[in-house]
Structure formats: structure tokens, C-alpha cells
Amino acid sequence: MLRLWSAISCLLLASAAASASSQSFENSAIVRTIDLGGSLVHVTTTFAVKALKEAAGVYTITLPEDEIFNTSWLEVKVKGKQQPLTVTYSGAPAGSKSHNLDVSLEKPLEAGATINLVLETVQTHTTRPWPQQAAQDEDQSLKYETSLFVLSPYNTSVQRTKLKSSSPRIIFYTEPENVQAFTLENPVTKSGSTVTYGPYSNVPPSANQAFLDKYQQRVVLHYSYDYPVLEVLKLRRAAEISHWGANLNIQDDIVLHNAGPRLNGHFSRLQHQTQSFYGRGAPHVLPLFTVQLPPGIRNTYYLDQIGNVSTSHLRVAPSVSRGLKNTQNSVLELKPRYPIMGGWNYTYTLGWDAPLGDSGSYDPNTGKYIVSIPVMTEIPGAVVNDAEISIILPEGATDVDYVAPFPALSNEISTHVTYLDTIGRPMVIFKYKNLTNKHAKPIYVSYRVPISAHLRKPMAVATVLLVLFTFAMVARRVDLTIYKTPTKKM
Ligand SMILES: *[C@@H]1O[C@H](CO)[C@@H](O)[C@H](O)[C@H]1NC(C)=O
Ligand SMILES: *[C@@H]1O[C@H](CO)[C@@H](O)[C@H](O)[C@H]1NC(C)=O
Ligand SMILES: *[C@@H]1O[C@H](CO)[C@@H](O)[C@H](O)[C@H]1NC(C)=O
Ligand SMILES: *[C@@H]1O[C@H](CO)[C@@H](O)[C@H](O)[C@H]1NC(C)=O
Ligand SMILES: *[C@@H]1O[C@H](CO)[C@@H](O)[C@H](O)[C@H]1NC(C)=O
């Protein structure tokens, strides 16, 4: 939540702005599509907007309070365009449990002009397993709750909400009440795996407490979900840049959690194997998963609390620096020692080395190195509740700077001392909460390494060797009987 506040920042006090702008637009249509998942729920809302006044340049989007608290990622674009628009938080409309976001259009619209705006959000932790427990051979179903109406400070000609499940087995959905003012037909319809609320016509401005009190309501969908619900409780990523050997080492320490229904009864491996043999593994059990790693990696290691896990498959794509136009990733299939049942945790470490040239470069104009480090490696469908990314720079690096794809909850630059370091290495740390697949983007770090720092490590190695060598020479000359004598006496 904090991240969202800071991402859309600033203007906390401008809550009066809405009334001034509310006559500037109307919505010809709003369509909200909710892709029901496990830990992540992707919501795309398209606003077909018409300007009612000259020079209408700021369009206001309103999100209900409960929704904004669970939204971990948000972006607004003009339909068909790549570049996101600037979004600023502009406060809660007086007395209502909702929040306004002001979207600055690239250029103001003329009266009568139209534009399609697309709001994309990712909600985290908004589904819950129901029932809360399941036996090893039972199905998994989840409940999701949202509000019926998409809110807007403007008049809306027609709006609808589509909830899309990955399976047509929808167990329950709420019939809305008191919507006769907006539709004469069925207020909700189900077709295959989609439940549609609306179309609702001629909806007045709804971002006010009077509308919320009169018409807004919760709708619940209970649906079968055929994949495990995954959460990364903790991600600790350490990326260590070494100019010596031109290597980038990345190590992830991960606590993975199956947030599906808790296992009812005992785990039976025999039953699990029989089910898997017949291709009927229960949807809430995680036997293996696949992650995409960079091309050209070496020395990949995968350990859990017991030790090496050998039951994994790695297919390495060639390094990008080999001159080939390679867009392929390496693919690692991780197969934990035992299947992860609902409610269980799995702690593991995954690490690899990659050629530094694949993600770093030297800019002769500024004399600085720039290295890109991905915030995380996506585990498909999983939210990362708590992440800490440490980037360890070469010893003696100065003028450290970074550009993160989105603001961190906290940042610090500190020093990390490892074996053979003389003065320690600068380290940049980023802390995040509730990361989604949309956050798997690179952090860019730039720094300067003075020539003297390049020499420092060889010097340190030379010094250590010299000391060892001297010690060996001395040791050989020492009469070992000195040490034997006392033991003989005992
Ligand atoms: C992360 O999500 C949890 C659960 O929805 C929520 O309680 C928490 O406030 C969120 N934290 C941040 C920083 O967004
Ligand atoms: C909404 O439409 C009604 C009549 O169609 C109009 O009286 C009202 O001013 C409009 N409100 C806004 C905020 O555009
Ligand atoms: C949204 O987040 C809040 C606070 O973290 C939580 O209490 C609430 O249950 C969440 N809403 C849903 C629909 O899960
Ligand atoms: C893990 O296995 C690899 C090769 O399979 C081996 O090189 C490595 O030493 C092992 N590491 C540990 C900690 O057992
Ligand atoms: C999983 O890990 C979390 C946090 O580390 C802990 O609170 C929880 O009790 C663990 N659950 C199990 C079943 O061990």
C-alpha cells in the first residue's frame, strides 16, 4: 500500500479537485474485466471517455477503499499506446470511502473528442480458499469478493463487470439487488467460465457517499481453481558484481508457501504417486514449478535445508554476449524433495553465475559502469510478500547511483566485507512488499571503479600469498620436536 501511495505520490491535499472537474467528461462505456487467479488477480478497466468541455486535460479515476488497499500495481495507458500516463493520488472525495487518482492526458481534449483509457491493476491476497481445508484427493476452490459498480465522478452511459475464471466450474455468484434503476434485464449472467454483471445503463456520478449508500454492494464469486495458490513469504536476493572474472552471481533465498486449502489429514506419498501416475494430481498440491533464468548461466545450484536437490532439469540458453541475437531464457524446472501441500512452507536457495557482459556495460563518456539486476525471478502466479534485494558492487566502487523501476519501501547504501576484501564493497539494498509479475523489472546501478581499486584485489591476493609463503618457509625450519615433547610427557 505504501508503495502505491508513493508511486502515485504527492497531492494529498487536492481532494476538492473532483467537483471542479466532474462536468468535464462523461463515460460512454466502462468495461471491467477481472481475471480470477490465486494470489494475483489482474483487473483491466477500459473507460471510453468523451470530453464535454474545451481543454479537458485531467481525468479522474475512483477506486473503492478496500480495493486500493489490496492493489499492488497500477498503470493507466491510452488504449493501444505503450507509454503509461502520469497518475497522481488526489485524496478521498469528501465523506466517501473511495479514493481519487488523477490521470494527466498527454494533451487536453477538445469538447466532444473521445479517448479510450485502460486502467490495469494487480490485486494481491484477495482470494481465499473455501473450504479452508481439503484432503489430498479433493478439489480446490476459492472465493473472491469485489464491489458491484465501477465508481466514477462522471456520468456513465453503460458499464459492465466481467469476472473470468480459468475453469467453467463456478460454484456460486451473488445476485445483485436494487439495480432496477439501471437494467430491466438479468442483472447478472453466466456464460461458460465468465460471470457478467450488467450492462447497467445511465449510472449517475458514483464517487459520492449517497450513491455508495444507496447502490454499492459486495458481490462474491466462488470458483474452482486448478493451480496451486503460491506466495513467496520471503525473498532475499543477493547480486554480487565481480569485475575479477567478469562475473555476476545471483543468489535467492526463498520461503515459498502454498496458500491453498490446508491439508486435511496426513500426507500420503503413495496416494500422491498413484494420483500423479494417472495424471490426476490434486490442484492444491505443488509437485514442481518452472522458472526462467538468464541465458548463459553457469554453476547453477539449488539447495534446500537438507542439501543439494538433484531432481531438477536445467536447459541453458546460450549467452547473449556470444554475438547471437538471443532472446531465449534458460529454463529451470525445480522439483522439491516432496510435494508442497496446502499450508506448507518450502525453504530453498537458488543461485547461479552469469557473464557480467550480459547485463553490464562501460560508458566511456561518463567513465561509469552500468549493470542491470532484475528485481526478482518470477514464480508464475506467486506474490512476493516481502523482498530484500542487495546489490554488492566491486570493492572500491564510488559514485554509486541507481534507477529502480518503481520506488522501494526503503533503500540504503552500506558496506559488505567478504573474504580477501581490504576495505569492503559498497552495497545497495532495496526493500519491497507485495511484488507481482509486473514488478519483475531491472534495477540499474551505475558506479565508477578507480584504477587503484582494480589493483587492490590482486594486491590483497599477493599479500596473502606472500604471508602464507613466508609462514611455510618459517614453519619448515622450525624443529617440530618442540611440539612433540609436551605430548610425550602426558
Ligand atoms: C501487502 O499486502 C498485505 C495483504 O494484503 C497488506 O496487509 C499490506 O498492507 C501490504 N503491504 C504493502 C506495503 O503494500
Ligand atoms: C449527468 O447527467 C445529468 C442529465 O443527463 C446532468 O443533469 C448532470 O449534470 C450530469 N452530471 C455530471 C456530473 O456530468
Ligand atoms: C484487502 O486488504 C485488507 C487489508 O490488508 C484486508 O483486510 C482485506 O481482507 C482485503 N480484501 C480482500 C477482498 O481480501
Ligand atoms: C551439489 O551437486 C553438485 C553437482 O551435482 C556438486 O558439484 C556440488 O558440490 C554439490 N554441493 C553440495 C553442497 O553438496
Ligand atoms: C511458514 O513460514 C511462516 C513465516 O516464516 C511462519 O509464520 C509459518 O508458521 C510457517 N508455516 C508452517 C506450516 O511452517
Side-chain angles (χ1 to χ4, degrees), residues 192-488:
S193 53
T194 304
V195 170
T196 306
Y197 285 94
Y200 301 135
S201 304
N202 303 322
V203 180
S206 51
N208 55 71
Q209 202 55 39
F211 182 93
L212 295 182
D213 288 344
K214 192 156 182 209
Y215 298 112
Q216 188 63 300
Q217 52 199 286
R218 306 293 287 169
V219 295
V220 178
L221 206 93
H222 185 197
Y223 58 102
S224 272
Y225 189 63
D226 292 337
Y227 311 92
V229 181
L230 298 181
E231 285 181 17
V232 173
L233 300 181
K234 214 182 203 183
L235 163 68
R236 295 287 173 268
R237 165 163 283 194
E240 189 162 347
I241 299 168
S242 165
H243 285 210
W244 236 54
N247 192 53
L248 171 66
N249 171 265
I250 292 190
Q251 175 169 317
D252 286 344
D253 291 300
I254 290 178
V255 183
L256 184 66
H257 176 69
N258 183 339
R262 281 194 313 279
L263 176 65
N264 201 353
H266 289 288
F267 167 62
S268 151
R269 189 173 276 276
L270 178 64
Q271 188 183 2
H272 172 72
Q273 279 168 351
T274 317
Q275 276 177 269
S276 319
F277 182 79
Y278 290 108
R280 286 194 319 245
H284 51 89
V285 177
L286 178 71
L288 52 83
F289 56 101
T290 303
V291 294
Q292 309 261 329
L293 300 178
I297 55 173
R298 306 174 298 251
N299 309 330
T300 307
Y301 49 96
Y302 166 35
L303 314 164
D304 65 9
Q305 283 153 323
I306 302 175
N308 253 344
V309 188
S310 52
T311 49
S312 303
H313 296 286
L314 174 66
R315 204 184 62 231
V316 179
S319 159
V320 281
S321 56
R322 294 281 132 84
L324 302 164
K325 270 237 156 61
N326 176 28
T327 49
Q328 268 194 321
N329 283 323
S330 304
V331 178
L332 175 65
E333 186 185 78
L334 291 122
K335 189 162 184 226
R337 226 170 270 278
Y338 48 87
I340 320 291
M341 313 299 291
W344 289 13
N345 289 347
Y346 180 60
T347 303
Y348 68 95
T349 297
L350 175 63
W352 62 88
D353 288 325
L356 185 56
D358 286 5
S359 48
S361 61
Y362 177 70
D363 181 353
N365 296 323
T366 59
K368 289 184 95 171
Y369 294 90
I370 302 173
V371 180
S372 81
I373 311 282
V375 168
M376 63 176 196
T377 296
E378 184 192 342
I379 295 178
V383 55
V384 180
N385 293 359
D386 178 77
E388 187 177 307
I389 293 102
S390 312
I391 301 177
I392 303 158
L393 303 175
E395 197 186 359
T398 58
D399 299 310
V400 177
D401 232 329
Y402 54 81
V403 181
F406 38 86
L409 287 175
S410 83
N411 264 135
E412 58 183 277
I413 297 190
S414 64
T415 307
H416 173 83
V417 181
T418 58
Y419 182 58
L420 286 186
D421 277 355
T422 49
I423 57 171
R425 305 162 147 229
M427 174 160 80
V428 199
I429 299 172
F430 300 82
K431 290 185 179 157
Y432 295 107
K433 295 249 194 261
N434 301 336
L435 296 179
T436 70
N437 57 321
K438 296 285 188 182
H439 294 97
K441 292 181 178 160
I443 299 173
Y444 292 93
V445 180
S446 69
Y447 54 90
R448 217 180 285 281
V449 182
I451 304 274
S452 63
H454 269 312
L455 292 178
R456 199 169 281 132
K457 191 136 193 178
M459 297 274 283
V461 175
T463 315
V464 169
L465 287 181
L466 190 66
V467 169
L468 287 177
F469 185 65
T470 317
F471 179 77
M473 292 224 303
V474 173
R476 258 202 295 175
R477 273 149 222 246
V478 173
D479 187 351
L480 290 175
T481 53
I482 297 172
Y483 299 100
K484 282 178 187 156
T485 330
T487 47
K488 272 182 186 163

Side-chain angles (χ1 to χ4, degrees), residues 66 69-70 125-127 145 218:
D66 59 298
F69 277 111
N70 299 332
H125 309 105
T126 44
T127 69
E145 219 180 300
R218 306 293 287 169

